[in-house]
Amino acid sequence: MSFDGFFTHAIVHELNTTLKTGRVARISQPYPAELIITIRAQRHNYSLLISANPTYPRIQITTVPFTNPAVPTNFTMTLRKYLDGAILEKIEQVGNDRIIRLIFNTRDELGDSQKLILVSEIMARHSNISLVNDKTGKIIDTIKHVGSDQNRVRLLLPGATFVMPPKQDKANPYLPNQLYSDLVREFSAPRGLAKQLQGHYEGLGHDTSLDLANRLLASDHLPTTYQQFIHRFDDPDPVIIDGKKKQFMAFPPVGADENAIQHFSTLSEMLDSYYAQKAQQDRSKELAGQVIKVIKNELKKDRRKVKKLNKQLEDASEADKYRIRGEILTTYLGKLKHGMKEITLPNFYDDNKPLKINLSPDLSPSRNAQKYFTKYDKLKSSVAYVNEQLRLTNAEIKYFENIQNQIDLASPSDIQEIRLELQQEGYIKNKHKGKKRRKVRVSKPEQFHTSDGTLVLVGKNNLQNDQLSFKTANKNEIWLHVKDIPGSHVVIRDTHPSDQTILEAAQLAAYFSKGRDSDNVPVDYLPVKRLHKPNGAKPGFVTFRGQKTLYVTPHKLNN
């Protein structure tokens, strides 16, 4: 089931039961398109998540922890100004659509009572959150500003009149009707009937309409079946179904395999479980937008530079041909005349075969010979410099590829640290330059336990990696890293781990690496005391000797 109109009906019912008459205690915007309103209700604080994320828009109570940005957004500041301490009178759905109105009662600057509406539109890339003055109908602010150049029908800007999205010409399934009876008589195939139900009723997603179609076609009494179905959303049995496609539903569909069903006590708890990994990765990618762009640009620049340096080395490898020409010209200097453009002379390095040598007519014979020696000296002296530049550029490419790998498995807090690292390395400009910047503490590495209970720590970014390897780990504990490819630093918090523990930690190191999709990944391991960080090395870079190597299949352990 998608977050359709029926599911919206169910979640609105759940939220009203839990949050109605609660007071706004705190407002945060941890991610660009997601809002957290902490509501004190029934002697408990609830975190209400309202998301206008284009991929995972939704509204629910969440228990997933989040980190506030250092500087609140303008939208957050506006909501705090108008809604701090407000009472949530009720939550209502517009028709059977994916539009939810949260009605707050608060007081204006003069102390008079005023009603404010927070409108959540759950509509994929058109999702939005708007704060509206109920009396004037004017928008106070929106989480996404939509101007006339984006939508000529609806302006979603501060000061504009709030207009509802265009209403579809469909029936509200909760109002009395007999449409379903007519459609059942006309369509006998479940998918055909489901499509017709979707076309005639408001808020019917594909999975919901298919389940309703199956129930109606198997029914002995259509009105009873229909009423039971629509009222089940007032008393749901939330489930996640692990079939060909993982999906969530307000209650199990008819004919579902019970072995593939996971039940939850509330819709919000189920949504937390369903979106835990998907939304986390999406949030990380959203926060990493600038970081990814910087890394791509730097990699493009470095790879172009490597190509250019290799060309210079290739040219330098032919330096001897300039020395040979210079020596031949010096030997036969008497045959050269001012103004000559070329001359053919015997090459005493190649059985005196004739060799054509280009000359500069403006130079004297001796200067022409010297020109070839100068070119030779320049190319030979450039080899050491070019090789050093090539080494540094390839190291930088490896560094950025490692960060790309970290982003694939990063949490939002990891992204903030990766951004900080790139600022410290000078790849991202610090917007607060000159101002006193709040010191950012490096977060703790992720913790896992092997089958015998041994603690294993995994660094999720380079700042964590350095902290883990050179400050947290004991010098006699075991350090692991995939061989020759980007990956996390992994430390076994044991000085004499069992072979099984080393194997499981190696599988974990392979999982948190670029080789996670391979079946056979080499992983080096050795005591921490053999690690060395060269002076001036980039974050996360270490050297070591005396390692042993295991070949493993990547596997993630339990936290």
Side-chain angles (χ1 to χ4, degrees):
M1 178 183 290
S2 56
F3 211 114
D4 63 4
F6 274 100
F7 192 90
T8 303
H9 178 98
I11 197 73
V12 164
H13 184 269
E14 176 176 292
L15 295 178
N16 262 318
T17 303
T18 308
L19 304 177
K20 191 174 178 180
T21 71
R23 183 182 294 274
V24 175
R26 191 164 58 250
I27 299 172
S28 311
Q29 192 181 337
Y31 311 107
E34 295 183 72
L35 188 68
I36 299 280
I37 302 179
T38 303
I39 295 177
R40 180 76 177 174
Q42 303 176 39
R43 298 183 179 180
H44 187 84
N45 284 344
Y46 295 95
S47 295
L48 176 65
L49 167 66
I50 309 175
S51 175
N53 182 296
T55 312
Y56 307 116
R58 62 197 187 282
I59 183 169
Q60 63 166 106
I61 294 168
T62 184
T63 57
V64 176
F66 59 90
T67 304
N68 268 330
V71 180
T73 65
N74 290 336
F75 185 63
T76 305
M77 296 301 289
T78 300
L79 291 188
R80 288 175 182 175
K81 175 184 176 181
Y82 285 93
L83 294 182
D84 191 34
I87 300 297
L88 179 58
E89 283 192 352
K90 63 177 177 177
I91 304 170
E92 61 184 25
Q93 181 184 16
V94 176
N96 196 47
D97 208 344
R98 293 168 296 168
I99 303 173
I100 300 167
R101 288 161 40 97
L102 292 90
I103 302 169
F104 293 93
N105 198 315
T106 184
R107 295 195 176 275
D108 61 18
E109 294 155 345
L110 299 175
D112 296 329
S113 177
Q114 70 172 346
K115 193 173 288 186
L116 299 176
I117 316 293
L118 195 64
V119 184
S120 171
E121 299 174 48
I122 303 170
M123 297 180 176
R125 65 189 180 90
H126 298 297
S127 299
N128 213 334
I129 305 168
S130 307
L131 181 64
V132 180
N133 185 307
D134 185 54
K135 184 177 180 180
T136 64
K138 300 290 185 181
I139 297 172
I140 298 170
D141 203 357
T142 62
I143 202 165
K144 297 178 190 174
H145 289 184
V146 180
S148 56
D149 56 330
Q150 296 168 275
N151 190 327
R152 285 179 292 180
V153 178
R154 295 181 74 211
L155 276 181
L156 293 173
L157 295 171
T161 300
F162 182 80
V163 178
M164 281 288 179
K167 189 172 174 62
Q168 292 180 310
D169 187 21
K170 293 182 180 181
N172 184 334
Y174 282 91
L175 298 179
N177 73 92
Q178 288 294 318
L179 268 172
Y180 58 89
S181 297
D182 298 335
L183 293 173
V184 169
R185 282 193 293 270
E186 193 174 346
F187 299 93
S188 57
R191 292 195 178 277
L193 176 58
K195 190 174 180 180
Q196 291 300 317
L197 289 168
Q198 265 190 290
H200 285 79
Y201 285 110
E202 184 182 30
L204 257 179
H206 172 73
D207 297 326
T208 313
S209 62
L210 187 59
D211 187 33
L212 175 58
N214 283 321
R215 293 174 188 270
L216 290 173
L217 290 172
S219 173
D220 292 330
H221 191 259
L222 291 178
T224 301
T225 302
Y226 180 80
Q227 290 301 320
Q228 285 176 344
F229 180 82
I230 64 172
H231 290 302
R232 274 299 299 274
F233 291 92
D234 292 325
D235 185 24
D237 173 18
V239 293
I240 289 178
I241 303 168
D242 238 337
K244 289 181 181 178
K245 183 182 75 170
K246 192 172 184 179
Q247 59 181 14
F248 64 84
M249 301 195 80
F251 48 84
V254 64
D257 179 8
E258 190 61 37
N259 295 323
I261 293 177
Q262 183 181 3
H263 292 264
F264 295 86
S265 57
T266 67
L267 296 166
S268 291
E269 183 188 328
M270 177 203 67
L271 289 172
D272 263 354
S273 176
Y274 182 84
Y275 284 115
Q277 188 173 0
K278 293 180 183 219
Q280 193 81 326
Q281 288 176 348
D282 192 73
R283 287 165 175 167
S284 297
K285 287 287 190 318
E286 191 173 21
L287 289 172
Q290 184 193 11
V291 173
I292 291 169
K293 186 177 179 180
V294 167
I295 291 170
K296 282 183 176 177
N297 288 340
E298 292 295 332
L299 279 171
K300 186 178 179 181
K301 186 171 65 178
D302 282 344
R303 284 165 181 155
R304 197 184 301 129
K305 186 176 178 180
V306 164
K307 193 179 286 187
K308 185 179 177 181
L309 290 169
N310 280 326
K311 179 68 170 64
Q312 288 178 319
L313 279 181
E314 190 181 316
D315 291 343
S317 68
E318 297 181 358
D320 279 343
K321 76 178 184 181
Y322 295 101
R323 177 182 58 81
I324 290 169
R325 281 162 172 74
E327 290 181 1
I328 292 172
L329 288 176
T330 303
T331 302
Y332 296 100
L333 205 58
K335 293 189 176 185
L336 273 66
K337 290 185 172 48
H338 197 283
M340 292 178 71
K341 292 184 177 180
E342 61 180 44
I343 189 171
T344 301
L345 297 169
N347 183 357
F348 41 75
Y349 285 101
D350 190 15
D351 297 329
N352 286 324
K353 290 179 181 175
L355 177 64
K356 186 165 75 171
I357 303 173
N358 292 325
L359 302 171
S360 296
D362 298 332
L363 300 178
S364 66
S366 60
R367 291 288 294 165
N368 264 301
Q370 188 58 43
K371 187 182 76 169
Y372 278 100
F373 285 124
T374 302
K375 180 76 171 175
Y376 166 75
D377 290 338
K378 187 177 178 181
L379 287 173
K380 290 300 285 184
S381 62
S382 72
V383 170
Y385 172 79
V386 170
N387 276 325
E388 176 62 12
Q389 288 299 306
L390 202 54
R391 183 188 69 78
L392 293 172
T393 307
N394 279 322
E396 191 169 77
I397 288 173
K398 191 174 181 181
Y399 169 71
F400 285 122
E401 287 177 342
N402 188 37
I403 293 181
Q404 278 185 325
N405 174 68
Q406 292 168 0
I407 289 171
D408 288 341
L409 291 169
S411 67
S413 60
D414 295 326
I415 297 298
Q416 300 291 4
E417 288 179 8
I418 291 171
R419 182 193 295 274
L420 174 64
E421 176 190 335
L422 292 175
Q423 280 182 352
Q424 291 173 345
E425 291 298 305
Y427 296 110
I428 293 179
K429 289 183 180 178
N430 182 10
K431 293 180 182 177
H432 306 289
K433 194 173 182 180
K435 297 181 182 178
K436 188 175 179 182
R437 190 154 49 91
R438 194 171 67 173
K439 188 176 179 181
V440 179
R441 293 180 60 188
V442 178
S443 59
K444 293 181 179 179
E446 195 160 352
Q447 298 186 2
F448 298 89
H449 290 88
T450 60
S451 54
D452 65 0
T454 303
L455 177 64
V456 179
L457 301 181
V458 178
K460 297 289 292 299
N461 57 64
N462 287 326
L463 296 182
Q464 281 186 21
N465 285 336
D466 280 350
Q467 180 105 346
L468 172 60
S469 299
F470 296 103
K471 293 186 179 178
T472 304
N474 181 293
K475 65 179 181 177
N476 291 314
E477 291 173 345
I478 302 302
W479 183 90
L480 305 94
H481 192 281
V482 287
K483 189 179 183 69
D484 299 331
I485 57 174
S488 293
H489 292 201
V490 177
V491 171
I492 302 172
R493 301 306 314 262
D494 192 336
T495 55
H496 296 93
S498 66
D499 290 344
Q500 180 62 27
T501 291
I502 293 174
L503 174 64
E504 291 176 17
Q507 291 173 331
L508 192 61
Y511 177 83
F512 284 99
S513 79
K514 198 174 181 179
R516 74 181 65 89
D517 296 323
S518 304
D519 293 328
N520 199 28
V521 180
V523 178
D524 292 332
Y525 67 97
L526 65 156
V528 171
K529 62 185 176 184
R530 293 184 190 162
L531 295 177
H532 174 66
K533 189 168 187 69
N535 289 334
K538 288 194 177 296
F541 181 80
V542 295
T543 59
F544 51 85
R545 288 186 298 175
Q547 73 274 18
K548 296 179 182 177
T549 305
L550 272 177
Y551 286 81
V552 298
T553 300
H555 177 67
K556 188 177 182 183
L557 304 178
N558 294 322
N559 289 77

